[in-house]
Amino acid sequence: MNWLAPRLRALRVASPTPDRGQRQRPGVAGSAALPVRSQRRAIAPLEPVSSRARWLLGVGFFILFVAVWAVFTLGGFVSPTFLASPVTMVKEGYLLFTEYNFIHDIGMTVWRVFGGFVLAALIAVPLGIAMGAWKPVEAFFEPFVSFCRYLPASAFIPLLILWAGIGETQKLLVIFIGSVFQIILMVAVIVGGARKDLVEAAYTLGANSKGIVARVLIPGAAPGIAETLRLVLGWAWTYVIVAELIGSSSGIGHMITDSQALLNTGQIIFGIIVIGIIGLVSDFAFKALNRRLFAWSTI
């Protein structure tokens, strides 16, 4: 064995010692050392971003949009008759508030949107829950609701004017018709998609049919129903403008119609932007309320 010891010492001297920045591949004896590399992905599918980055990106798009708009209008590439510049739009908006009582028009439009939407939700949510929970109810209502869902709300305006005149009832009904059938079907799908194992577990624990609906189906579907209402509220804003374009003496849609007759694109754009701002604020408020009421749904 004396002749083997010098050879072992020579092999130990010749073999390199792993550096701190290297590691052995686990499970493989005698494998080459691999350097440790920290791979950082800037943009990857489904990779979340921070709240600060989200706000910066969102605001950045608006800044870019206004900059392009200003270049085309202030640079003389587009005629002011067809598209007012951002500066002109702001001036016209100031005149609307100071001389034309535009705050009253905004209040009337908001009242019509939320009035028709709440009326639709009060009828659609219980009916949608019933359709999702009990299949005979779904079989009875679903064909008619699906048929009405494809009918544009604007097509009912001539009939609604004949039935209810050109007052507030006609405008509320336009928003109601445009929202109610969408909510019914979406709520029915959410409730009907409840987990069957939870229902079977509730039956095993002694729950009856009413208990299944009250204790399992409705609580499980509540976050989805709230999200559905948030989405349909955005659609209600499109219906109110259609309702205000015909036979209306107030509201943002009425102002837009009058401005179109005067070729005042600054006021038209300002009215559209006001609608977008109000809708965005209501959407953020709905999201915050949903997160507060159903914080457990993200766990």
Side-chain angles (χ1 to χ4, degrees):
M1 297 294 294
N2 292 334
W3 61 271
L4 186 59
R7 296 189 177 186
L8 291 176
R9 283 195 297 269
L11 287 174
R12 279 196 293 267
V13 172
S15 61
T17 303
D19 296 333
R20 291 184 179 181
Q22 296 178 334
R23 61 181 178 182
Q24 291 291 111
R25 183 180 299 174
V28 180
S31 61
L34 299 175
V36 178
R37 297 180 181 176
S38 59
Q39 295 182 352
R40 189 165 183 171
R41 298 170 296 182
I43 299 177
L46 303 180
E47 191 77 17
V49 297
S50 63
S51 299
R52 182 171 178 271
R54 183 180 296 274
W55 277 100
L56 290 176
L57 291 172
V59 173
F61 180 82
F62 280 101
I63 294 174
L64 178 62
F65 178 81
V66 174
V68 174
W69 175 18
V71 167
F72 276 90
T73 53
L74 296 177
F77 297 100
V78 181
S79 172
T81 304
F82 300 103
L83 181 63
S85 67
V87 177
T88 303
M89 182 268 299
V90 172
K91 291 180 180 179
E92 294 294 338
Y94 177 77
L95 289 176
L96 284 173
F97 281 110
T98 56
E99 297 185 10
Y100 299 103
N101 196 20
F102 188 50
I103 193 68
H104 173 71
D105 291 325
I106 294 176
M108 292 301 298
T109 298
V110 171
W111 142 249
R112 290 161 183 163
V113 169
F114 283 93
F117 174 76
V118 170
L119 182 63
L122 290 176
I123 296 176
V125 171
L127 182 56
I129 292 174
M131 289 174 59
W134 291 287
K135 297 306 177 183
V137 178
E138 181 183 23
F140 183 74
F141 284 104
E142 198 270 338
F144 177 76
V145 174
S146 296
F147 166 76
C148 293
R149 185 169 68 95
Y150 290 99
L151 301 179
S154 57
F156 290 91
I157 291 180
L159 279 176
L160 294 177
I161 291 177
L162 290 176
W163 295 343
I166 58 174
E168 296 302 310
T169 303
Q170 174 257 336
K171 297 169 182 59
L172 293 176
L173 288 176
V174 171
I175 300 168
F176 172 82
I177 292 173
S179 304
V180 65
F181 301 111
Q182 312 291 341
I183 298 175
I184 290 174
L185 280 184
M186 295 172 74
V187 171
V189 170
I190 292 171
V191 175
R195 290 173 51 184
K196 298 298 186 290
D197 57 338
L198 297 180
V199 176
E200 296 297 332
Y203 276 126
T204 303
L205 295 174
N208 55 16
S209 296
K210 292 179 62 177
I212 293 295
V213 176
R215 297 293 188 88
V216 179
L217 297 183
I218 293 179
I225 294 175
E227 186 67 14
T228 294
L229 294 177
R230 183 182 72 85
L231 294 175
V232 177
L233 178 60
W235 301 345
W237 279 98
T238 62
Y239 304 134
V240 72
I241 300 304
V242 173
E244 290 178 345
L245 289 178
I246 301 175
S248 179
S249 59
S250 62
I252 301 177
H254 169 70
M255 185 276 294
I256 291 176
T257 303
D258 287 349
S259 300
Q260 182 266 339
L262 299 174
L263 298 179
N264 193 332
T265 56
Q267 291 184 2
I268 295 174
I269 296 172
F270 186 80
I272 295 172
I273 291 177
V274 168
I275 293 172
I277 292 174
I278 297 174
L280 191 63
V281 170
S282 63
D283 189 74
F284 282 158
F286 228 120
K287 280 184 178 180
L289 181 63
N290 290 351
R291 284 195 297 265
R292 188 176 183 85
L293 293 177
F294 310 111
W296 48 267
S297 64
T298 59
I299 299 177

